[in-house]
Amino acid sequence: IKKLHTKMHLRAIGAAFCSLGTPNASDAPRPIIPFNSFAHQSSFRDGFDIRPAPDGKGMGAFSTVMITKGDTLGEYTGEVLTRKDVEARYWGTRKENKHDRKWRKSRCRRKQGISGDYLFDMGNDLFIDGEDADVSSWCRFANHADELNDVGEDNVACNVEVRRRLSWDEDEQQQLRLFLVALREIEPGTEICYDYGGEYW
């Protein structure tokens, strides 16, 4: 595991997506996500199949049911991190403390990734980190497709978008949450894709 020395703060979806990593991070092998992880289990519950995506994109999420335009497919969940957490754990702009080291050891022990490729910037110095499959939903498997074209270069259409929604928890505290929402009708067997935005690349 390489220590992060550079900061790539790339945003898309209305400044929601934030990809962080090191040079050549995409060359690093991705961990195998076990079928008993929450990420896989939530896909079964919500009607999605997680399997290899075309064109070497890794794993992808595929619908198993008909989806209507405007339907909410699922919530993008994960570990909630503060900016200070992200600076130490992914960007390398703050020295790690004992909590950061414990976090890293836990990820490594459980064979969870630490690339920073699954972060959403929620504003107010809070991030949702969907990389840990034990706490993230199936939405982490949604791949990129260009929103500007009906069908992208890899013959996959952008068919969902990320929407933020405000909710309240049991203590009446506001929470900003992320959901994938269908842009059009989606037939069974279709890969779920959204536009990561030009700055991601």
Side-chain angles (χ1 to χ4, degrees), residues 1-4 88-92 96 98-110 112 114:
I1 298 168
K2 296 179 181 178
K3 182 172 176 156
L4 299 175
R89 298 172 186 184
Y90 289 121
W91 295 348
E96 287 186 344
K98 65 180 182 179
H99 303 292
D100 301 321
R101 289 188 293 276
K102 183 178 178 182
W103 172 89
R104 185 175 301 280
K105 285 179 184 177
S106 171
R107 287 272 181 107
C108 291
R109 185 182 70 251
R110 294 180 296 111
Q112 297 295 326
I114 51 174

Side-chain angles (χ1 to χ4, degrees), residues 111-174:
K111 296 182 171 65
Q112 297 295 326
I114 51 174
S115 70
D117 288 341
Y118 297 85
L119 284 175
F120 270 89
D121 184 348
M122 299 299 290
N124 296 325
D125 291 337
L126 291 176
F127 297 79
I128 295 177
D129 182 2
E131 190 153 6
D132 187 338
D134 290 339
V135 296
S136 63
S137 71
W138 68 267
C139 297
R140 74 186 299 283
F141 293 107
N143 284 314
H144 169 78
D146 191 349
E147 186 177 17
L148 298 177
N149 302 320
D150 282 342
V151 178
E153 292 176 8
D154 53 4
N155 221 22
V156 176
C158 171
N159 50 23
V160 300
E161 66 180 353
V162 175
R163 291 190 188 164
R164 298 178 187 204
R165 293 184 184 156
L166 194 59
S167 66
W168 286 263
D169 64 15
E170 57 274 356
D171 297 324
E172 298 299 318
Q173 298 293 316
Q174 287 186 355

Side-chain angles (χ1 to χ4, degrees), residues 37-70:
S37 68
F38 180 71
H40 272 291
Q41 294 303 310
S42 66
S43 73
F44 304 141
R45 178 197 67 213
D46 291 350
F48 295 90
D49 184 28
I50 306 304
R51 63 178 190 258
D55 301 320
K57 293 188 293 186
M59 302 300 281
F62 296 80
S63 175
T64 62
V65 297
M66 182 65 78
I67 298 169
T68 304
K69 178 180 178 179

